Amino acid sequence: MIFLSEVIEWVACVTEGGLFYWLAGKIFKEERKNVRIYWDWIFTASLAAVILVINNIVLYSTFTLLIWMLWGTMSAAVLYRVSYIKLLALAVLYTDCFCVTDMLASNLYLSLGSRLNINAHMMMTFSIQRIGLVILAKIFMVVFLVSLRKLLIPLLRSEYEKKILLVSLIAFVFILYYRKAAQSSFSVEISSIFGLLAVLCSLGTYAGFKYLENQNQKMQNRTAKIQNELLQENYQAVSALYESNARLYHDLNNHLNILYQMLALERLDEAKEYISRISGPMKEMVKKRYTGNDIIDVILSTKKQKAEQLGIKTEIDAEFPVNTGIQASDICTVLGNLLDNAIEGSKDTDNPGICLKMCHVHRFILLQISNTAYKPPKVEKETGRWITDKADQTRHGWGMQSVKSIVEKYNGTMKYKFSGTELSITVILFF
């Protein structure tokens, strides 16, 4: 019986650990380090062995829970490139969940098992009654966490890990208080408290999920607004360009007649000057051919013109292949915002300059924009959010958030490097 109890307890510990690493893998899949999957199983088995040894000394120990949270956090840090606070928030929240389900199962099991002469003493020792409790508790825990996983994933991936950690720690202290009372006296009242905690945990997770969903919707609306403004700007630039050339083509016969008369009278200098004057719009159109995509070429040309009017030397080497699945409007949003920031950052520097390179490599678009700068950008370490220098931060600073959302849309990356005199931003978009 003791051997069977030991095996069941170890399997239960493996279930707790395995569910934690499974949940961490779902949440931080994109931040996974180059670590083999068998390390998850090694950490799970080792944690289960440590917890089993401690449980042989004392069951339901606060020390056990602290060891569990520390082990879970440190081992997850080995597996994922995620901040320690975010991993600790996951570990504490996870501990809250399985404590609530475990104690709820214990109280229900005790109240329903009165006919089988189950009492609190039996549940605190390695016995057949405890085996039944362990199985019931783990079923509760698995169902509870699997049901909430779709809400937990976006919540724990958000930038609110400090708030989540604080609330989870408060809940942990609350659970410890009632857990001590539950160990000494299992009752219907205690069962009701842990049942209420389970409900509150579910409602709190759902409320957090809906809040994030609302924030994401606001972000999407702001991104759409920025894209629409940018597309309107591009449309006006294209319209002005084509209108000027349409006038040129409409008056072509008149221009040819005038040139013929000048050449017939051998007024060559006047003819050259006249050709130069009427071909200005055409030369402007030739300059705008960078990628072959009219919309992208216009945004590049207008931004280059804006930069050069401010005395900023601008170099552009760009290509954009067809049939990539990457929308031109998304590329324009990325280019428009990055070039605007480059112009803003370099206009007050000595020998201001901007260099843009865009090319496709295998199955991704590589975009790099470098500009002279006298200070690095302000970026929140926890969230990676770029902060504007302008006073009205509610109306500004959303451009880089739009870029970030588009990078995420195409499973790409965005990194920056500041050398002291130059800021370089590299964006990769996969297709």
Side-chain angles (χ1 to χ4, degrees):
M1 180 58 67
I2 296 178
F3 176 76
L4 179 61
S5 296
E6 292 278 1
V7 171
I8 296 296
E9 289 284 344
W10 186 78
V11 171
C13 293
V14 168
T15 302
E16 291 175 356
L19 193 59
F20 172 78
Y21 292 110
W22 170 81
L23 187 60
K26 291 290 185 182
I27 297 171
F28 306 121
K29 178 173 61 176
E30 298 178 1
E31 289 82 8
R32 177 82 181 193
K33 294 181 181 179
N34 188 23
V35 180
R36 300 280 186 176
I37 193 66
Y38 62 75
W39 277 104
D40 295 65
W41 293 104
I42 291 175
F43 285 136
T44 299
S46 302
L47 175 61
V50 171
I51 298 302
L52 184 62
V53 170
I54 298 175
N55 283 346
N56 274 280
I57 300 173
V58 56
L59 284 172
Y60 295 113
S61 167
T62 302
F63 176 73
T64 307
L65 297 177
L66 295 176
I67 289 294
W68 153 253
M69 287 190 291
L70 180 63
W71 183 292
T73 304
M74 297 300 294
S75 58
V78 175
L79 302 174
Y80 303 99
R81 295 183 182 90
V82 181
S83 67
Y84 187 81
I85 293 178
K86 194 176 285 286
L87 294 175
L88 183 60
L90 169 62
V92 177
L93 180 60
Y94 180 84
T95 304
D96 290 345
C97 290
F98 85 66
C99 280
V100 167
T101 54
D102 192 50
M103 297 309 296
L104 177 60
S106 299
N107 282 271
L108 291 176
Y109 186 69
L110 183 63
S111 59
L112 296 175
S114 56
R115 297 180 181 179
L116 301 175
N117 296 321
I118 298 175
N119 55 51
H121 176 72
M122 292 179 177
M123 291 167 58
M124 298 292 288
T125 60
F126 290 101
S127 62
I128 189 65
Q129 289 85 356
R130 177 163 176 79
I131 291 175
L133 168 63
V134 169
I135 294 173
L136 179 64
K138 298 317 149 194
I139 291 174
F140 267 46
M141 183 181 69
V142 171
V143 171
F144 185 72
L145 285 171
V146 170
S147 301
L148 290 179
R149 74 187 186 282
K150 291 185 178 179
L151 304 180
L152 288 171
I153 290 173
L155 190 63
L156 287 163
R157 282 194 62 83
S158 70
E159 65 271 20
Y160 302 108
E161 63 269 18
K162 291 182 179 179
K163 294 180 181 179
I164 295 172
L165 178 59
L166 178 61
V167 172
S168 299
L169 285 172
I170 293 173
F172 181 67
V173 172
F174 189 77
I175 288 169
L176 288 181
Y177 176 80
Y178 279 100
R179 189 167 173 266
K180 183 177 180 180
Q183 288 176 215
S184 59
S185 175
F186 290 92
S187 65
V188 176
E189 289 77 11
I190 297 294
S191 299
S192 301
I193 289 173
F194 279 99
L196 180 61
L197 281 175
V199 172
L200 290 176
C201 183
S202 302
L203 291 176
T205 303
Y206 179 75
F209 171 78
K210 294 302 292 184
Y211 174 78
L212 286 176
E213 193 176 52
N214 184 50
Q215 292 294 104
N216 290 334
Q217 185 61 47
K218 289 182 179 179
M219 176 65 69
Q220 290 174 7
N221 291 339
R222 290 190 179 101
T223 301
K225 182 179 179 181
I226 291 172
Q227 286 183 332
N228 289 335
E229 291 174 352
L230 193 57
L231 289 174
Q232 181 66 25
E233 179 184 337
N234 296 342
Y235 174 75
Q236 291 172 354
V238 171
S239 297
L241 178 63
Y242 286 152
E243 183 180 346
S244 64
N245 284 280
R247 289 195 301 268
L248 172 65
Y249 295 137
H250 181 268
D251 297 332
L252 185 59
N253 284 331
N254 294 330
H255 293 312
L256 289 175
N257 287 330
I258 293 172
L259 285 170
Y260 180 79
Q261 295 296 327
M262 288 180 176
L263 291 174
L265 297 173
E266 296 184 357
R267 294 155 57 181
L268 300 182
D269 291 338
E270 290 183 35
K272 290 179 181 179
E273 182 182 351
Y274 190 81
I275 291 172
S276 177
R277 186 168 64 251
I278 67 174
S279 63
M282 182 61 72
K283 290 179 180 179
E284 188 66 23
M285 176 174 276
V286 171
K287 290 179 182 179
K288 294 177 182 295
R289 306 299 292 179
Y290 293 108
T291 67
N293 184 295
D294 289 342
I295 299 296
I296 296 176
D297 288 347
V298 167
I299 192 68
L300 291 175
S301 296
T302 53
K303 297 303 180 184
K304 180 178 181 180
Q305 183 180 14
K306 178 182 177 181
E308 291 180 343
Q309 287 174 351
L310 295 171
I312 302 172
K313 183 181 179 182
T314 306
E315 298 179 8
I316 297 178
D317 180 12
E319 62 173 318
F320 186 72
V322 297
N323 301 324
T324 62
I326 299 177
Q327 297 178 8
S329 60
D330 289 336
I331 286 290
C332 285
T333 298
V334 173
L335 288 172
N337 284 295
L338 292 182
L339 284 171
D340 281 341
N341 286 350
I343 292 170
E344 188 70 24
S346 62
K347 66 180 182 180
D348 295 326
T349 62
D350 297 330
N351 300 318
I354 297 174
C355 180
L356 182 148
K357 294 181 180 180
M358 184 170 70
C359 63
H360 78 281
V361 182
H362 299 298
R363 300 293 296 175
F364 61 86
I365 297 292
L366 176 64
L367 169 64
Q368 186 177 64
I369 296 181
S370 302
N371 64 274
T372 53
Y374 62 88
K375 62 180 180 179
K378 294 181 180 179
V379 182
E380 290 183 352
K381 293 183 179 180
E382 296 82 3
T383 64
R385 181 176 178 178
W386 292 57
I387 304 173
T388 180
D389 287 332
K390 297 179 180 179
D392 187 359
Q393 297 192 3
T394 59
R395 293 177 58 85
H396 300 283
W398 292 103
M400 291 304 294
Q401 291 298 101
S402 299
V403 173
K404 186 178 178 182
S405 67
I406 291 171
V407 170
E408 293 174 350
K409 176 181 177 180
Y410 295 102
N411 300 314
T413 61
M414 179 174 67
K415 297 181 179 179
Y416 76 92
K417 181 181 179 181
F418 180 68
S419 64
T421 58
E422 183 181 79
L423 173 65
S424 178
I425 299 178
T426 303
V427 173
I428 295 178
L429 304 177
F430 290 91
F431 60 88

